Amino acid sequence: MDSLDLQVLTQARRWREDGHAVWLVTVIETWGSAPRPPGALLAMRDDGLVAGSVSGGCVEDDLIERVRGGERVARPSLVVYGVTKEEAARFGLPCGGNLRLLQEPLDATDWLDEILARTARHELVARVLDLASGTVRIEPAHRGDAFSFDGRELRALFGPRWRMLIVGAGQLSRALAQMALMLDFDVICCDPREEYHLTWNVPGTTFSTEMPDDLALALQLDPHSAVVALTHDPKLDDLVLLEALKSPAFYVGALGSRGNTVKRKERLALFDLSAAEIDRLHGPIGLDIGSRTPGEIAVSILAEVVAVRNGVALRQKKPTLAAAASLP
């Protein structure tokens, strides 16, 4: 899921409270190129007003025309677009893509209230819709779970599937935390230094004054976790890196110049880390976009985190001193 889907649910609840009939439309399957992934949501009001997106525009226009024309779906039902090349062209589906949607009336909102309350507490939950009865139940989910649809049940995730541990509570950390929240990371900031943690003021994040290495162990870092060390203090950054680099965390990065990164890796080699584990460290941290301000540096860090998460080659990566020395 993404934050847009929670906004869709919030708007859908508001419309129901105002007395409107509302339908939810969920992307359940795509073929070819598609602008929205399975699980993406759209809410549609009885007068054709919509929130969210399932295609980027043209399919939404057709759904709106159906509602304005008097169509009233009374039970969960499938809608397919782009079965033929002509339909794909008509509805603006790129590259001959196809789109299968599930449309359902929003009759009860108790499950919706539960999702919004639990995700506000940073819980990851699943909405399970039974197509035959139209009933919905909410159950706990795990970060390794994914959207699923088997023809009888739809299971969609809501809440933060990804987690970011930020070490250091400075200005850069605040900028990074705010941006990471927008990408649906569950953000934990750690800084035991009193002069820093007393000024942390990023709503929606969790703050800890534990030592970073102790917190990393307590969090049980997994493949959906990212660790970003930003204190410039080796006593804090190196400690958390020793634990993070041995963990399954998908991303581990540390702030520092190319020279400091080389020295950090030399220090890490003195401990029980293998060369392969040390090579997992992203440093200098972030993509090379010429960033200077805290906001720009946060953009470069988060862009690198997302690229690693998505398995994309880091084409704009600034080389280390050793790599730079080998360039012609």
Side-chain angles (χ1 to χ4, degrees), residues 286-289 304 307 311-319:
L287 300 185
D288 184 10
I289 60 173
E304 181 174 67
V312 175
L314 303 179
R315 301 181 182 88
Q316 286 293 101
K317 184 64 180 174
K318 184 179 294 185

Side-chain angles (χ1 to χ4, degrees), residues 164-170 187-194 196-202 205-219 231 236 240:
M164 179 178 290
L165 171 60
I166 301 174
V167 180
V187 178
I188 307 102
C189 182
C190 174
D191 199 326
R193 302 170 298 178
E194 184 173 299
Y196 284 91
H197 72 68
L198 291 178
T199 60
W200 184 259
N201 58 350
V202 184
T205 63
T206 302
F207 193 87
S208 172
T209 57
E210 290 187 64
M211 289 299 292
D213 53 330
D214 292 335
L215 181 58
L217 287 172
L219 289 174
T231 71
L236 298 177
V240 75

Side-chain angles (χ1 to χ4, degrees), residues 289-323:
I289 60 173
S291 51
R292 295 289 184 270
T293 67
E296 291 175 346
I297 297 170
V299 168
S300 75
I301 294 171
L302 197 53
E304 181 174 67
V305 170
V306 172
V308 172
R309 184 180 68 178
N310 293 342
V312 175
L314 303 179
R315 301 181 182 88
Q316 286 293 101
K317 184 64 180 174
K318 184 179 294 185
T320 62
L321 282 179

